[in-house]
């Protein structure tokens, strides 16, 4: 078996490769900005997003702590309100303990098309950050898939049942743990360039889950440059 950490991360023209986790608020902003900027530039037919997993719970060997995500909501929502945010509103026991099934579903949806995968990924992010839905639950994942209007739900259910994307998830986890991918989100472009947490410089006040993010700068325009470059290089 080949070593996934030696794989070429440079996508073909017209594709932006994105490593991220759904639990990551910075990725929620980046994915929202990729979609909205692509639409505004009229590049929806020219540029696609290849979503790949940066599973924080495997890198950290523990589920993502809820105090961490809670501490990020207000500050990150002030940067990009339209992405959709709220503090967790459902029962405490419905808070997702893992994002692995959701990440696997996004990978499995790529069998149908990159568009199906994109729309499922976007829907699952909104389901977690803006709708307080338990995205670790199979029914929620399939409900979100149905709501996209872009995913064949029966085919996705079959893919989840036989675990056909699980090996891919494991391989991408190995890449995420290597020095090839720095963080969630990390974008790779056809010209060989890459952008870790594009546009945002951040530091932390206090420990994660106790303190809060401190934003040094935020430049959403970087997404225009990323998408135009992906479309033309």
């Amino acid at each position: 078996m080949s070593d996934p950490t030696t794989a070429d991360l440079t996508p073909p023209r017209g594709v932006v490769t994105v490593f991220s986790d759904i639990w990551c608020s910075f990725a929620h902003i980046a994915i929202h900005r990729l979609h909205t900027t692509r639409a505004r530039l009229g590049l929806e037919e020219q540029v696609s997003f290849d979503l790949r997993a940066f599973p924080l719970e495997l890198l950290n060997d523990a589920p993502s702590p809820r105090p961490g995500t809670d501490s990020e909501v207000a500050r990150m929502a002030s940067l990009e309100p339209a992405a959709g945010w709220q503090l967790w509103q459902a029962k405490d026991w419905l808070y997702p303990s893992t994002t692995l099934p959701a990440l696997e579903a996004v990978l499995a949806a790529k069998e149908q098309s990159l568009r199906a995968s994109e729309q499922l990924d976007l829907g699952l992010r909104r389901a977690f950050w803006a709708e307080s839905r338990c995205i670790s639950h199979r029914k929620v994942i399939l409900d979100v898939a149905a709501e996209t209007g872009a995913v064949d739900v029966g085919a996705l259910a079959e893919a989840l049942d036989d675990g056909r994307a699980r090996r891919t998830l494991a391989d991408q986890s190995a890449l995420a743990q290597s020095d090839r991918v720095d963080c969630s989100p990390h974008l790779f472009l056809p010209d060989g360039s890459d952008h870790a947490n594009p546009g945002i410089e951040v530091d932390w006040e206090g420990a994660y889950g106790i303190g809060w993010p401190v934003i040094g700068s935020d430049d959403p325009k970087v997404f225009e440059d990323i998408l135009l470059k992906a479309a033309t290089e």
Side-chain angles (χ1 to χ4, degrees):
M1 182 181 296
S2 62
D3 182 355
T5 64
T6 64
D8 183 7
L9 294 179
T10 304
R13 178 176 175 176
V15 175
V16 178
T17 295
V18 184
F19 282 84
S20 69
D21 199 345
I22 297 171
W23 257 329
C24 175
S25 62
F26 296 95
H28 185 42
I29 287 178
I31 295 295
H32 172 79
R33 288 177 171 174
L34 282 170
H35 279 267
T36 56
T37 306
R38 181 177 66 175
R40 178 164 51 81
L41 295 176
L43 294 175
E44 290 174 303
E45 298 301 320
Q46 289 85 5
V47 179
S48 299
F49 308 138
D50 180 1
L51 285 309
R52 302 194 185 185
F54 191 95
L56 291 165
E57 66 200 84
L58 297 183
L59 275 66
N60 297 329
D61 201 25
S64 184
R66 179 176 166 185
T69 53
D70 283 353
S71 73
E72 296 173 6
V73 169
R75 186 66 188 94
M76 304 310 291
S78 71
L79 296 184
E80 195 62 61
W85 309 84
Q86 65 179 18
L87 287 171
W88 187 257
Q89 298 299 303
K91 301 289 188 183
D92 284 347
W93 51 267
L94 288 174
Y95 190 85
S97 61
T98 176
T99 60
L100 295 183
L103 292 171
E104 182 181 337
V106 170
L107 298 178
K110 280 199 270 187
E111 278 193 342
Q112 300 177 34
S113 66
L114 287 182
R115 171 171 165 73
S117 178
E118 289 175 8
Q119 294 303 310
L120 179 58
D121 174 81
L122 184 64
L124 288 167
R125 292 177 193 279
R126 288 192 62 87
F128 173 64
W129 287 104
E131 299 168 357
S132 299
R133 297 164 73 181
C134 182
I135 59 168
S136 59
H137 194 278
R138 182 178 185 277
K139 183 179 186 305
V140 172
I141 292 169
L142 295 177
D143 285 347
V144 171
E147 291 159 13
T148 67
V151 179
D152 182 328
V153 179
L156 179 62
E158 183 179 329
L160 292 177
D161 288 345
D162 65 25
R164 69 188 68 167
R166 205 156 300 153
R167 178 72 260 169
T168 301
L169 178 61
D171 288 345
Q172 292 180 7
S173 176
L175 260 177
Q177 294 179 67
S178 74
D179 60 4
R180 309 275 314 280
V181 185
D182 291 338
C183 63
S184 169
H186 197 159
L187 280 56
F188 294 83
L189 303 187
D191 68 349
S193 65
D194 63 280
H195 302 260
N197 199 17
I200 297 178
E201 293 184 3
V202 63
D203 204 344
W204 288 87
E205 179 67 31
Y208 185 72
I210 298 173
W212 55 88
V214 177
I215 306 302
S217 63
D218 177 33
D219 179 17
K221 188 178 181 299
V222 70
F223 287 90
E224 293 185 12
D225 301 333
I226 286 170
L227 288 161
L228 290 169
K229 186 178 291 188
T232 58
E233 293 295 336

